[in-house]
Amino acid sequence: MAYITRRAVRLSVPALMLTLFLFWLTRPQAPAPPPAIHYTPTLSQLPTRAPLPHSCFLFVTRTISLTKVRRTMFDIEQRFNRRHRYPYVFLSEHPFSDEFQTAVRALASAPVRFALIDQEDWQAPAWINHDRVRGDAGFRNMVRYWAAPFAGHPQLAGMRRVWRLEPGAHYTCDIAEDPFRQMSAHQWLYAFAVSLETLPTATRGLWPAALAFLAQHPSAAQNNSLSWLANQARFTGCQFLTNFELVDLAFIRSQPYQALFDFLDRQAGIYYDDWSDAAVRALAAAMFLAPAQ
């Protein structure tokens, strides 16, 4: 009987150890700490701020684009401008209709100004051979206008920074920070949303023209960002999408930028080779601005 008892005790030790182990596994756990919550206030909860002086939104458009303009303005007002009330400037080569102006003013939370573009700034230069123009001549005129002449419009004379708005662009998120103030605080001269490589056919001849300009103006490009645009002397074709840009007009109006534009304008690549205002802007930014700018 004693043998049986001792055997039973010996046999129960592994079972006891297993029971204790299972109990340890199934013991009540202390509640885990709640995950950290990063709270972002909604736009309506943020305080209203006065706009940064000498800053505005800029449209270059036509009356026929009213539907697209209204969509973009509705978004920018709801997502950003109802807190800041930056003014709008509308430019066109044709007069805006009364209906257009009334509809736009109804959406704006700030003053709106409408003005005509000087025909000399909108038309092709005298040296352009119209038989060689690629695509629609009116579109080429718009591209050239955005490349530089827009900065000299009288309605922008008192402006320092502009946020380009493209008719039909859709803004889906609240913009809590003020990009104008960010540019001012950091002394940025150019801000963009998208950078991409363009087709080689759209920049044909642009890089040789840039090298020719630098050969004539060797001191123009110092402390620049050309390594972003040219990798071991090979042109990358990268550019900023100017449809979504904020630009300090001091950069566009500067003597180096204007000299580069005049040089490229004489090459007629905007009309003959599909150069875009984005390609011209990217080249100028890489040539004259440091990465921090």
Side-chain angles (χ1 to χ4, degrees):
M1 186 69 178
Y3 171 77
I4 296 174
T5 302
R6 287 194 301 271
R7 180 179 175 84
V9 170
R10 287 198 300 270
L11 289 175
S12 68
V13 170
L16 178 61
M17 293 179 64
L18 177 61
T19 300
L20 292 174
F21 177 70
L22 292 175
F23 175 79
W24 180 82
L25 286 179
T26 59
R27 73 193 190 283
Q29 300 290 325
I37 298 176
H38 301 283
Y39 174 70
T40 301
T42 63
L43 198 62
S44 61
Q45 295 172 311
L46 294 172
T48 299
R49 298 189 66 181
L52 186 70
H54 314 298
S55 305
C56 71
F57 294 110
L58 177 61
F59 276 99
V60 174
T61 187
R62 296 173 175 174
T63 290
I64 59 174
S65 299
L66 176 58
T67 300
K68 292 182 177 180
V69 167
R70 291 179 66 180
R71 169 180 174 172
T72 301
M73 282 191 67
F74 178 83
D75 281 355
I76 207 70
E77 283 291 329
Q78 294 298 311
R79 299 298 187 182
F80 173 76
N81 204 42
R82 59 193 172 103
R83 283 186 56 235
H84 301 277
R85 300 184 179 180
Y86 282 101
Y88 294 82
V89 174
F90 281 81
L91 304 179
S92 179
E93 80 277 26
H94 300 298
F96 291 108
S97 69
D98 292 341
E99 177 190 3
F100 183 97
Q101 296 184 45
T102 300
V104 164
R105 286 196 170 100
L107 284 171
S109 60
V112 183
R113 290 183 284 177
F114 303 92
L116 284 173
I117 296 170
D118 191 313
Q119 287 302 309
E120 185 177 346
D121 289 335
W122 192 262
Q123 63 189 10
W127 56 84
I128 297 298
N129 181 347
H130 292 271
D131 293 333
R132 293 183 57 191
V133 174
R134 294 173 60 90
D136 179 66
F139 178 76
R140 295 287 106 202
N141 291 338
M142 181 188 70
V143 168
R144 179 180 180 273
Y145 186 73
W146 270 121
F150 81 95
H153 196 284
Q155 286 292 341
L156 298 178
M159 293 299 173
R160 175 69 183 272
R161 301 171 186 86
V162 298
W163 180 338
R164 175 175 172 175
L165 293 180
E166 190 72 11
H170 194 32
Y171 292 82
T172 59
C173 301
D174 288 346
I175 304 172
E177 297 292 336
D178 184 344
F180 288 117
R181 292 188 179 277
Q182 290 288 313
M183 290 187 71
S184 176
H186 297 283
Q187 298 184 341
W188 295 333
L189 297 179
Y190 191 75
F192 62 96
V194 180
S195 174
L196 45 76
E197 289 188 29
T198 189
L199 296 173
T201 55
T203 55
R204 182 173 48 230
L206 180 62
W207 186 239
L211 295 178
F213 174 83
L214 288 175
Q216 294 183 20
H217 304 81
S219 62
Q222 298 180 359
N223 188 29
N224 58 38
S225 310
L226 275 176
S227 59
W228 169 79
L229 202 61
N231 184 6
Q232 297 181 347
R234 183 186 68 84
F235 182 51
T236 63
C238 291
Q239 63 182 31
F240 308 117
L241 196 61
T242 49
N243 305 62
F244 304 94
E245 69 176 358
L246 280 84
V247 60
D248 189 318
L249 293 179
F251 167 50
I252 307 296
R253 295 164 177 161
S254 67
Q255 191 278 329
Y257 188 105
Q258 290 295 317
L260 175 64
F261 172 73
D262 291 342
F263 183 88
L264 297 178
D265 205 22
R266 284 284 178 178
Q267 311 305 307
I270 289 176
Y271 289 91
Y272 299 164
D273 295 310
D274 283 341
W275 295 354
S276 65
D277 54 295
V280 174
R281 190 92 78 247
L283 180 61
M287 194 174 288
F288 303 131
L289 301 183
Q293 295 178 295

